[in-house]
Amino acid sequence: MDNCLFCKIIKGEIPANLIYEDDLAIAFEDINPQAPVHFLVIPKEHIVSLDNVDENKKLLLGHLLLIASKLAKEKGLEEGYRVVNNCGIDGGQTVDHLHFHILGKRKMLWPPG
Ligand code: AMP
Ligand code: ZN
């Protein structure tokens, strides 16, 4: 997608603090961190949201969560962390390219606002 911020990060057209890359996905630090550790895991394929996946994306979705788990270990989040997916308007999604937030190194509140 030409106008997608995260596609531009994938293509290297916009800088980001990349912490992981493979054929299918990248992970990078969130520009506006909501916790001492806050990074995003995204597919390289432009998928708008979790509302835009089907059976064909099953392996990719599992891959993204495994990356989240591995990077959380690398970041030393042994006390735990939160994985968030904001989906659509009610979910508070602001960038229309599927992404998982991983937040750690502070106690998270529940329920979310
Ligand atoms: P969401 O509200 O779930 O769609 O999350 C979008 C996230 O992308 C927010 O946490 C933003 O801080 C983050 N974000 C926006 N622009 C950038 C950027 N250029 N680099 C890194 N993170 C970004
Ligand atoms: Zn995109």
Side-chain angles (χ1 to χ4, degrees):
M1 279 285 281
D2 288 348
N3 241 347
C4 172
L5 178 67
F6 287 176
C7 282
K8 286 181 181 165
I9 288 177
I10 291 161
K11 287 185 267 182
E13 292 171 9
I14 289 178
N17 289 330
L18 240 66
I19 55 175
Y20 178 87
E21 176 164 22
D22 65 25
D23 289 350
L24 298 173
I26 62 169
F28 53 96
E29 313 277 1
D30 196 293
I31 205 169
N32 184 21
Q34 302 302 311
V37 172
H38 184 178
F39 60 90
L40 305 173
V41 179
I42 74 171
K44 284 187 170 173
E45 179 186 348
H46 180 81
I47 298 171
V48 170
S49 80
L50 203 56
D51 201 33
N52 299 82
V53 294
D54 59 20
E55 279 291 302
N56 296 320
K57 302 300 176 214
K58 195 157 68 174
L59 286 176
L60 177 61
L61 289 170
H63 184 64
L64 297 172
L65 287 177
L66 269 178
I67 292 167
S69 170
K70 284 177 185 164
L71 291 177
K73 283 192 178 64
E74 280 181 31
K75 292 274 184 187
L77 305 185
E78 57 278 330
E79 300 298 321
Y81 52 92
R82 181 165 291 174
V83 179
V84 174
N85 173 255
N86 297 326
C87 179
I89 293 170
D90 279 0
Q93 184 174 4
T94 61
V95 177
D96 288 340
H97 181 126
L98 176 66
H99 52 281
F100 292 100
H101 297 255
I102 292 81
L103 303 119
K105 292 284 183 196
R106 74 163 168 83
K107 277 257 189 256
M108 302 294 154
L109 301 174
W110 190 261

